[in-house]
Amino acid sequence: MKALKLTLLGVLFSSTLFAQSENIINVHNRSVTSLNGEWKFLIDPYENGFYNYRLNAFDEMGNPPRSAYFTDSKQYDKTELLEYDWDTSPTIKVPGDWNHQDPRLQYYEGSIWYRKKFTYSKTYDRSRIFIHFGAVNYRADVYFNGVKLGRHIGGFTPFQYEVTDLIKEENSLVLMVNNNRKPEAVPTVNTDWWNFGGITRDVLVVETPETFIKDYLIQLDPNDPNSIRGYIQIDGEIPSQKVSISIPEAKLNIDFVTDSDGFGTFTIPTKKIEKWTPENPKLYDVVISTQQNKVIDEIGFRTVQTKGADILLNGEPVFLRGISIHEEVPYRVGRAASEEDAELLLGWAKELGCNFVRLAHYPHNEHMIRKANEMGIMLWEEVPVYWTIHWENPETYANAAAQLEAMIQRDKNSAATIIWSLANETPVSEPRNEFLHKFSKLARSLDKSRLLSAAMEVHTEPGKPLEFIVEDKLAEYVDIVSFNEYIGWYNGLPDKTLQSSWKVPYDKPVFISEFGAGAKAGFHADSLTRFSEEYQADLYTKTLQMVENIPNLRGFSPWILTDFRSPRRQLSGIQDGWNRKGLIGDQGEKKQAYFILQEYYQNKSKN
Ligand code: GCB
């Protein structure tokens, strides 16, 4: 059980005074004050607010000058030369990417400063205060009341700092956010999505008692579905104390005492718990309490495993009727961030007949996970180990590992989450195999109760252009053999799908993590005309026939629910900076292929 207690590789990336705190689980259900809304911003391509003209970092100087933007200084009288003024600077919405909020920033990659002033008074004198960021893309230097809290790297995972000793009535929170792409980063320089910069997810002030429930795991025991098991981690001056966990609706309750590290494990025997399924996404209120602190969560209970080629949910074989989703939302351009965005995207998936969604290609915001649990949608969650990251660079590995840990740490109580995906379309080589082997072992050490997968590729052998093979060392490390294929789009025309034969030589469930074709909503032509709705529809019709020939196939998640922004896609009048493989256009228009897949899934769900 202790293996499930997560260490924080993220500290590798924090610098200076205040170390990044380990994340608080279920942060939205704590006592929180949102800092979402209008923030001031300054565009700073030369990082003028960070360095002096000799390129010395201000935050490494004992007494940073007032010209450092994070000092949040105001001209003290008309004689002072100060070349910024937060109060007269423009505002930007948080959460939100900067690219589509100011025409100067659409293609901007570099640094932007953010400032939020807020007043705060603690509920109790001895309360502890944390500042929590859902995600900031990609690097964030964070300052609070002029003091550097730290630096966080990684654009899609939460982080937080404790500010108990720094908080006052009037506060200034300043960030320098940088989204420059770097070859050694995760993701690397080359992707097929927009590099949306900024504070893209919720910012919260979290108030807790002095000793509080920081983390917990409460799940069905994968080896014994008649027990709920897990751990509790308490943080504060009195680590060893009595904890109660109760699930009132199921009349379950347990009390135990944590050890001197604030850690304690438990097992609750249960025979009668109603299982979480997509058809009946039962969530129970779970109350975790200590003398000082009470946290309520909504948790579903289910098991997931594989047996030969089957995926078993609560012991029953299940077929994954999926769709892939990027964290973007039609109607307005940009990152999805709110509960309403999650409802819209997952609502469309549900209407399509899905019981499963692939959250590509990075961890999505927590609202998506919560909604999927409520709506009964199983999830594939993924880290941005995408294409050609630097397999031999230890820093790259540590970075990917920190993102994997943060994702698992945040969502380990999510019944909907059944798959952790390690990578997408990575080119086979010895160093890549080693990296991903080690990565798979890390994932298993953090969570033994979910399945591992990764989106692999297909190949053919000389002389057999129509026999598609999925054979990859990586398939041995994962539970589900998944692959992306674009027969009929990047590889021939849709008819080719019907001529294909398949070889996937594993006694494991097989899953198509992507197939698809581009179509501009409202563009109609014959089915051989690229980017017409008819072409995309024909590709779907034929692929849905082809899948019958793929051995051990247990589901798929076509590419993709909605059109999404990508600077790789420059065909004027058609793409205009959008990847058009959505079944739904950027204004919410359902394309013909949407209805083809919907009909297929409706029939499939009857079997
Ligand atoms: C892929 C990638 C995905 C791309 C997609 C495409 O294989 O995994 O990120 O967006 O193809 O549209 O080409």
Side-chain angles (χ1 to χ4, degrees):
M1 197 76 65
K2 270 235 160 167
L4 283 157
K5 210 181 142 189
L6 296 153
T7 56
L8 196 80
L9 275 170
V11 291
L12 270 179
F13 301 107
S14 59
S15 59
T16 69
L17 281 171
F18 283 69
Q20 186 183 315
S21 324
E22 270 183 62
N23 285 327
I24 297 175
I25 193 97
N26 184 17
V27 76
H28 287 87
N29 278 345
R30 309 286 179 139
S31 164
V32 293
T33 307
S34 170
L35 295 183
N36 291 350
E38 298 290 329
W39 290 47
K40 296 285 185 182
F41 78 104
L42 290 167
I43 307 171
D44 191 13
Y46 291 5
E47 300 190 334
N48 183 53
F50 190 83
Y51 294 112
N52 69 9
Y53 81 128
R54 294 291 184 236
L55 214 62
N56 300 315
F58 291 134
D59 64 21
E60 284 169 13
M61 298 174 184
N63 195 8
R66 289 162 58 80
S67 51
Y69 294 173
F70 58 84
T71 62
D72 193 357
S73 302
K74 185 88 188 153
Q75 202 186 25
Y76 51 73
D77 69 23
K78 65 183 181 188
T79 66
E80 186 188 15
L81 175 62
L82 199 59
E83 294 184 88
Y84 69 96
D85 182 347
W86 277 114
D87 293 340
T88 57
S89 298
T91 60
I92 192 164
K93 274 200 182 59
V94 170
D97 57 274
W98 64 55
N99 307 77
H100 298 93
Q101 297 198 52
D102 181 325
R104 291 174 297 170
L105 299 176
Q106 186 176 6
Y107 285 94
Y108 182 72
E109 296 187 304
S111 284
I112 290 198
W113 289 82
Y114 285 75
R115 186 203 71 179
K116 184 77 175 172
K117 279 203 149 175
F118 65 97
T119 55
Y120 198 82
S121 50
K122 286 183 179 184
T123 318
Y124 302 103
D125 232 24
R126 284 173 50 74
S127 294
R128 291 168 68 183
I129 311 290
F130 300 82
I131 309 272
H132 173 93
F133 298 90
V136 176
N137 191 37
Y138 170 80
R139 189 189 74 205
D141 287 278
V142 187
Y143 306 86
F144 190 63
N145 293 334
V147 175
K148 181 148 193 179
L149 299 178
R151 168 175 284 189
H152 180 264
I153 285 177
F156 303 99
T157 43
F159 59 99
Q160 67 191 25
Y161 299 98
E162 180 161 8
V163 295
T164 305
D165 297 336
L166 294 173
I167 197 140
K168 301 186 291 198
E169 232 175 270
E170 296 281 328
N171 298 285
S172 152
L173 176 60
V174 176
L175 275 78
M176 183 176 80
V177 181
N178 178 284
N179 74 333
N180 282 124
R181 287 167 297 125
K182 298 223 162 102
E184 71 281 10
V186 184
T188 181
V189 285
N190 200 16
T191 68
D192 184 24
W193 70 82
W194 206 274
N195 180 22
F196 293 114
I199 306 178
T200 49
R201 295 189 189 156
D202 298 330
V203 185
L204 304 171
V205 181
V206 187
E207 180 162 353
T208 72
E210 195 290 322
T211 300
F212 74 104
I213 300 156
K214 184 162 71 183
D215 191 22
Y216 51 81
L217 171 80
I218 302 175
Q219 289 278 279
L220 273 194
D221 184 341
N223 301 316
D224 172 14
N226 290 325
S227 305
I228 294 172
R229 64 89 173 95
Y231 69 77
I232 302 288
Q233 178 68 58
I234 282 180
D235 188 291
E237 271 172 13
I238 318 164
S240 177
Q241 55 173 289
K242 194 179 116 188
V243 181
S244 300
I245 300 174
S246 71
I247 307 176
E249 196 188 331
K251 299 194 176 57
L252 295 173
N253 188 74
I254 195 166
D255 294 345
F256 58 96
V257 177
T258 47
D259 66 17
S260 56
D261 295 325
F263 186 71
T265 61
F266 67 89
T267 302
I268 313 177
T270 165
K271 285 221 165 63
K272 283 190 294 238
I273 205 99
E274 214 178 304
K275 301 285 188 329
W276 184 96
T277 65
E279 298 72 34
N280 175 32
K282 174 73 190 163
L283 299 176
Y284 284 91
D285 277 355
V286 178
V287 186
I288 308 115
S289 45
T290 61
Q291 218 173 28
Q292 286 189 328
N293 196 195
K294 178 166 159 183
V295 181
I296 301 181
D297 206 341
E298 286 189 296
I299 299 181
F301 298 98
R302 55 99 193 96
T303 57
V304 63
Q305 64 218 124
T306 61
K307 190 170 173 209
D310 281 332
I311 301 170
L312 305 178
L313 186 74
N314 301 316
E316 297 289 324
V318 63
F319 186 90
L320 306 179
R321 305 187 308 270
I323 191 73
S324 297
I325 301 188
H326 256 297
E327 194 186 43
E328 275 179 58
V329 70
Y331 305 120
R332 68 157 208 272
V333 185
R335 281 261 169 259
S338 65
E339 210 177 313
E340 294 71 42
D341 292 344
E343 249 161 37
L344 179 68
L345 292 170
L346 296 176
W348 273 328
K350 208 67 199 171
E351 197 185 319
L352 188 58
C354 294
N355 61 4
F356 180 82
V357 158
R358 175 187 180 202
L359 299 177
H361 280 300
Y362 37 74
H364 285 218
N365 67 72
E366 213 172 332
H367 299 297
M368 288 289 272
I369 316 301
R370 295 264 166 200
K371 277 284 153 219
N373 274 278
E374 281 170 27
M375 293 167 75
I377 298 181
M378 293 177 279
L379 295 177
W380 156 310
E381 295 198 50
E382 182 166 336
V383 284
V385 174
Y386 183 93
W387 291 354
T388 55
I389 70 157
H390 284 194
W391 306 109
E392 288 174 276
N393 184 336
E395 233 181 82
T396 303
Y397 182 85
N399 184 342
Q403 297 191 45
L404 180 76
E405 286 202 32
M407 173 176 79
I408 295 178
Q409 134 75 18
R410 191 191 69 179
D411 297 337
K412 61 184 176 294
N413 293 312
S414 158
T417 306
I418 59 163
I419 297 172
W420 304 121
S421 174
L422 303 174
N424 179 75
E425 285 186 358
T426 50
V428 176
S429 72
E430 215 21 67
R432 169 273 203 181
N433 293 349
E434 271 172 36
F435 180 113
L436 290 174
H437 191 199
K438 193 168 149 199
F439 208 45
S440 68
K441 288 197 254 179
L442 173 66
R444 289 205 198 277
S445 74
L446 297 169
D447 183 0
K448 293 182 179 56
S449 73
R450 290 183 178 77
L451 308 175
L452 293 188
S453 196
M456 291 172 257
E457 293 187 308
V458 282
H459 63 272
T460 52
E461 274 169 7
K464 292 184 177 171
L466 294 171
E467 187 191 56
F468 293 93
I469 306 170
V470 183
E471 215 168 0
D472 185 329
K473 197 84 190 140
L474 177 52
E476 295 170 18
Y477 313 145
V478 295
D479 303 300
I480 300 187
V481 181
S482 303
F483 61 89
N484 299 347
E485 65 82 9
Y486 282 92
I487 304 166
W489 184 252
Y490 295 125
N491 181 343
L493 295 170
D495 271 352
K496 194 168 178 180
T497 52
L498 301 178
Q499 298 150 10
S500 66
S501 66
W502 287 84
K503 199 171 132 193
V504 192
Y506 301 96
D507 183 27
K508 292 186 178 187
V510 171
F511 183 81
I512 312 179
S513 29
E514 288 178 29
F515 67 80
K520 168 105 194 246
F523 172 48
H524 295 286
D526 64 85
S527 65
L528 283 174
T529 303
R530 294 274 177 171
F531 295 104
S532 67
E533 285 199 33
E534 286 73 8
Y535 189 113
Q536 189 190 39
D538 188 44
L539 182 282
Y540 269 73
T541 304
K542 290 177 174 149
T543 303
L544 294 173
Q545 290 175 43
M546 176 191 82
V547 295
E548 300 302 325
N549 303 330
I550 301 179
N552 296 343
L553 193 74
R554 293 296 181 270
F556 37 83
S557 56
W559 195 250
I560 185 169
L561 184 68
T562 65
D563 289 355
F564 62 97
R565 298 286 282 150
S566 171
R568 295 172 73 83
R569 310 294 173 175
Q570 290 301 340
L571 180 62
S572 195
I574 299 279
Q575 293 177 313
D576 304 308
W578 292 85
N579 183 316
R580 294 292 184 197
K581 294 192 188 71
L583 294 175
I584 298 178
D586 64 80
Q587 293 308 309
E589 319 93 316
K590 290 182 179 132
K591 305 178 195 174
Q592 289 180 8
Y594 179 95
F595 299 102
I596 289 171
L597 186 61
Q598 186 182 47
E599 198 189 334
Y600 181 90
Y601 280 161
Q602 277 166 356
N603 290 332
K604 193 89 192 163
S605 67
K606 289 182 201 137
N607 302 331

